[in-house]
């Protein structure tokens, strides 16, 4: 149920003049005809960000808006509302302080639940508005199965440590267990955070942070020291941030797997916080088809990297898997015959026979400087981690002009906006048109759990309006979702896969770039010459049962 009247939201947005009135009116009539909240239509058409819309609705209904994905929700606070209640009532407790219990709901007009919570907790309840999708994400935090299992392992080790006063705590074993467990659960990051009275270990699973276990506070400094020793960092330095790396061996059946772990230690007011990013060989060995490239797109990318010079660009927001794609391509090019050099920040994977340079701000080794020295080393192929500034853009394009194959990434929303972005960075349009071979725009979506995947019948008119045209008009659509099981920690998803749009340069497009046509026109030309959009690639993966419509819509709005 919407928390507002469609017509009120219409006026509120219209007064702000941030969406074209005609478009807004058509959204209003769609939402009235389909009996859907106006906000949903606006989001599905990508007219406003979820955050902006949330703030506007919050103002409209006089309930403050909170972005739950930006709040660190402690497990103990979350559980002040039992899971069942939270699910049914779509309400999340996210903060508990002297003012009371702060809760977020997508339907603030439901006053009964607020009364109920107030009685049950004996606290004053402070109500916030949040979006449906954020509430759903936060509900995932209830998945407790990992935590429980892990709790027991750690408790045993801690007990052993406390039992014998003279014995050293088995801190090595505890840290190893954390890493091993993170690896087994496919966590991408491990956070070890000092709190007032304990140390919190959190895993990032499929992009979302989960509280895993709380360790006794006295172990905190020992864990930090142990990790620093493993990463060759200074153990006597507590006031400065330090970065390092660990090579970790994991027994996986009969095989030893090698895990690269990037370490970042930073001082906080309560002690030192550690973030560890796990980069396993599993991800390193990914081929493009493992990453989700369909055959026809593979062919396009292949044609591009067989060219002796030019640029291959991967684009998308942070965390969209651009680097992984570039490495997969690098792996294909990596033969003894070519000299490959990289400049990266950070170096995410070690690649054999490739000279990798790490950006280092302290020694003034910037992307641009590193790139200048690389060009003097006679490379055939250069990987530039990211083009962020004019100088790097300039040298990259010039290297591509002078006979090198350049692989790099850019922070743009889709393939065609790469061109105006490069022009903004001062690159001449004709240089862009002659050097860019291919642009790969991408996002990562969560994959449906194989173990609990079931089919669902979705009525055609319940499909998001934005995507209806991709489905047949039969009354029901056969789609898939994960019911939730122990394997997927009740989320219905395990692992991630990419959705892509691959833009190949052609004559018409390069003329349009030289003519400085806008992204809208560039997009039209690209689609006309055969580019499948990210949304289309995603829909294909939905129909194949790999992912869900919710996932596709979530990431294509980023
Ligand atoms: Zn499952």
């Amino acid at each position: 149920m919407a928390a507002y009247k469609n017509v009120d939201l219409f006026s509120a947005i219209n007064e702000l003049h941030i969406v074209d009135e005609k478009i807004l009116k058509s959204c209003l009539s769609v939402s009235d005809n389909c009996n859907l909240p106006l906000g949903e239509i606006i989001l599905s058409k990508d007219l406003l960000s979820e955050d902006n819309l949330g703030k506007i609705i919050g103002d409209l209904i006089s309930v403050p808006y909170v972005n739950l994905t930006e709040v660190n929700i402690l497990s103990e606070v979350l559980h002040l509302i039992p899971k069942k209640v939270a699910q049914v009532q779509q309400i999340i407790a996210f903060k508990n302080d002297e003012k009371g219990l702060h809760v977020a709901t997508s339907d603030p007009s439901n006053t009964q639940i607020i009364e109920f919570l107030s009685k049950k907790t004996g606290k004053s309840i402070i109500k916030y508005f949040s979006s449906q999708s954020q509430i759903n994400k936060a509900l995932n935090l209830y998945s407790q199965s990992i935590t429980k299992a892990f709790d027991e392992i750690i408790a045993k080790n801690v007990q052993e440590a406390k039992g014998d006063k003279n014995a050293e705590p088995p801190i090595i074993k505890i840290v190893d267990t954390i890493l091993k467990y993170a690896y087994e659960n496919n966590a991408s990051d491990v956070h070890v955070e000092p709190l007032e009275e304990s140390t919190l270990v959190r895993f990032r699973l499929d992009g979302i942070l989960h509280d895993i276990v709380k360790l006794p506070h006295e172990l905190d400094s020992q864990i930090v020291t142990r990790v620093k020793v493993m990463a060759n960092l200074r153990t006597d330095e507590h006031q400065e941030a330090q970065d390092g790396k660990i090579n970790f061996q994991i027994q996986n059946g009969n095989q030893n797997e090698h895990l690269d772990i990037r370490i970042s230690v930073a001082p906080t007011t309560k002690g030192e916080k550690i973030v560890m990013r796990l980069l396993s060989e599993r991800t390193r060995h990914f081929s493009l088809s493992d990453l989700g490239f369909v055959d026809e797109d593979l062919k396009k990318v292949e044609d591009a990297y067989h060219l002796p010079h030019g640029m291959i660009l991967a684009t998308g927001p942070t965390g969209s898997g651009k680097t992984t794609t570039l490495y997969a391509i690098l792996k294909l090019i990596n033969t003894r015959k070519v000299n490959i050099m990289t400049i990266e920040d950070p170096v995410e994977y070690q690649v054999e026979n490739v000279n990798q340079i790490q950006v280092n701000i302290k020694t003034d080794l910037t992307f641009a400087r590193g790139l200048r020295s690389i060009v003097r080393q006679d490379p055939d192929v250069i990987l530039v981690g990211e083009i962020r500034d004019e100088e790097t853009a300039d040298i990259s394009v010039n290297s591509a002009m002078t006979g090198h194959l350049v692989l790099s990434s850019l922070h743009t929303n889709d393939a065609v906006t790469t061109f105006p972005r490069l022009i903004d960075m001062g690159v001449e349009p004709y240089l862009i048109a002659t050097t860019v071979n291919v642009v790969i725009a991408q996002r990562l979506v969560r994959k449906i759990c194989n173990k609990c995947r079931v089919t669902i019948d979705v009525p055609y008119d319940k499909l998001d309006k934005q995507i209806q045209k991709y489905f047949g008009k039969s009354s029901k659509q056969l789609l898939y979702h994960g019911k939730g099981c122990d394997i997927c920690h009740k989320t219905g998803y395990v692992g991630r896969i990419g959705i892509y749009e691959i833009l190949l340069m052609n004559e018409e497009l390069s003329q349009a770039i030289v003519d400085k046509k806008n992204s809208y026109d560039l997009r039209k030309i690209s689609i006309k010459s055969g580019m499948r959009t990210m949304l289309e690639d995603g829909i294909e993966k939905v129909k194949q049962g790999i992912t869900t419509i919710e996932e596709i819509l979530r990431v294509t709005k980023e």
Side-chain angles (χ1 to χ4, degrees), residues 219-381:
L219 290 179
D220 190 46
S221 63
Q222 299 179 48
I223 293 176
V224 172
T225 304
R226 171 65 191 156
V227 171
K228 283 180 175 173
V229 167
M230 291 169 87
N232 288 321
L233 299 177
R234 288 182 56 186
T235 50
D236 58 346
E237 174 58 73
H238 303 286
Q239 302 308 325
E240 267 193 49
Q242 297 191 70
D243 294 326
K245 224 163 54 180
I246 298 177
N247 290 317
F248 193 70
Q249 297 287 338
I250 281 180
Q251 191 85 28
N252 191 13
N254 296 328
Q255 283 184 328
N256 258 336
E257 230 210 300
H258 178 79
L259 192 62
D260 281 340
I261 306 172
R262 221 166 63 214
I263 308 292
S264 150
V265 185
T268 73
T269 51
K270 299 195 183 77
E272 287 171 277
K273 176 181 166 158
I274 309 172
V275 176
M276 303 189 258
R277 166 152 289 186
L278 276 55
L279 306 158
S280 80
E281 279 179 349
R282 279 184 302 203
T283 30
R284 217 194 299 169
H285 285 164
F286 266 169
S287 68
L288 288 175
S289 52
D290 286 334
L291 297 176
F293 282 82
V294 299
D295 288 348
E296 65 173 288
D297 284 346
L298 266 181
K299 177 82 180 53
K300 291 180 191 167
V301 177
E302 255 169 44
D303 289 346
Y305 71 69
H306 282 137
L307 295 171
H309 54 85
M311 294 180 95
I312 298 178
L313 298 172
T315 77
T318 309
S320 57
K322 299 176 293 230
T323 314
T324 312
T325 299
L326 291 178
Y327 275 106
I329 297 173
L330 203 63
K331 221 185 82 193
L332 293 167
I333 306 172
N334 189 7
T335 62
R336 284 273 176 188
K337 281 180 246 154
V338 289
N339 177 15
I340 303 179
M341 300 195 72
T342 78
I343 172 90
E344 303 166 72
D345 184 23
V347 171
E348 288 203 23
Y349 309 90
Q350 299 286 347
V351 191
E352 230 177 300
N353 303 323
V354 171
N355 303 297
Q356 295 172 279
I357 300 175
Q358 160 87 51
V359 165
N360 190 339
I361 302 304
K362 276 189 202 143
T363 62
D364 205 26
L365 181 57
T366 57
F367 269 115
R369 271 183 170 240
L371 199 46
R372 279 190 201 288
S373 66
I374 283 178
V375 175
R376 290 193 287 267
Q377 302 257 323
D378 185 31
D380 300 295
V381 180

Side-chain angles (χ1 to χ4, degrees), residues 449 451-452 484-485 487-488 492:
C449 170
K451 202 81 194 166
C452 61
C485 66
I487 301 287
C488 58

Side-chain angles (χ1 to χ4, degrees), residues 449-453 482-494:
C449 170
N450 280 329
K451 202 81 194 166
C452 61
R453 172 169 43 206
K483 274 191 311 189
C485 66
D486 285 343
I487 301 287
C488 58
H489 311 301
K490 309 273 185 266
T491 61
Y493 295 100
V494 173

